[in-house]
Amino acid sequence: MSKEHTLAILKPDTVAAGNVGNVIRVLEKSDLRIVAMRMIKLSLTEAKGFYAVHRKRPFFQSLCRFMSSGPVVVMVLEGKDAIDTWRNMMGPTNSEEAPKSTVRGQFGTNIERNAVHGSDATETAAEEIAYYFPGIDLI
Ligand code: CMP
């Protein structure tokens, strides 16, 4: 696989804990490049739109309340196999099970407050990037 883009979100727990710089440092030491970045506060409706694929899941309401509870940092990451590379750096979804060598293991708390998000496939990455960076011109 050649150069790829993925969406990363530093979730409200990461921003509230003052860990934005720490996650950026991890990224800057990696083979991925941050090519776009914004800090935003999601409305409940925007959070529900972003996580619509999970709308039937029991955790949906709580997840969306959490994601709209404070500012987040959204980023586009670029690199070779960026989607899998970032997912491996994040670690498992549940921070309680994530190794300390991973971002979720180091900065997250549990399965909901898990510090960061990453796209899971090429199509979702394109949709998720467009959700937060409409019209962005990625080469
Ligand atoms: P994320 O990678 O942002 O994608 C969907 C999110 O839903 C996931 O991280 C978790 O924060 C959350 N999530 C997934 N499964 C559960 C669960 N069983 N209980 C609570 N939250 C969950």
Side-chain angles (χ1 to χ4, degrees):
M1 175 66 75
S2 57
K3 189 173 82 174
E4 209 175 53
H5 294 101
T6 192
L7 181 87
I9 306 179
L10 315 194
K11 296 188 177 187
D13 55 331
T14 297
V15 178
N19 280 327
V20 170
N22 291 326
V23 177
I24 288 176
R25 191 163 301 114
V26 170
L27 281 164
E28 288 184 331
K29 284 186 177 156
S30 79
D31 293 331
L32 297 175
R33 235 165 37 95
I34 301 167
V35 294
M37 178 161 67
R38 305 169 57 203
M39 179 179 273
I40 54 175
K41 167 92 165 55
L42 296 176
S43 67
L44 185 58
T45 304
E46 286 167 334
K48 286 181 175 176
F50 181 73
Y51 280 117
V53 66
H54 296 303
R55 64 189 176 283
K56 302 266 167 57
R57 310 288 287 276
F59 57 81
F60 179 67
Q61 298 294 340
S62 176
L63 171 65
C64 294
R65 270 198 304 275
F66 165 59
M67 289 300 292
S68 57
S69 67
V72 298
V73 175
V74 291
M75 298 174 175
V76 180
L77 306 179
E78 178 183 279
K80 185 167 170 292
D81 296 324
I83 295 169
D84 283 348
T85 301
W86 175 229
R87 288 181 75 78
N88 289 334
M89 287 168 65
M90 288 194 299
T93 305
N94 189 346
S95 284
E96 289 168 313
E97 295 168 3
K100 285 293 173 200
S101 57
T102 65
V103 174
R104 283 171 167 162
Q106 205 175 338
F107 302 116
T109 306
N110 54 37
I111 197 164
E112 180 174 273
R113 303 173 74 85
N114 64 350
V116 287
H117 168 83
S119 310
D120 63 1
T122 314
E123 304 74 40
T124 36
E127 288 167 17
E128 291 184 359
I129 289 169
Y131 195 83
Y132 294 112
F133 298 91
I136 192 170
D137 193 12
L138 296 169
I139 299 160

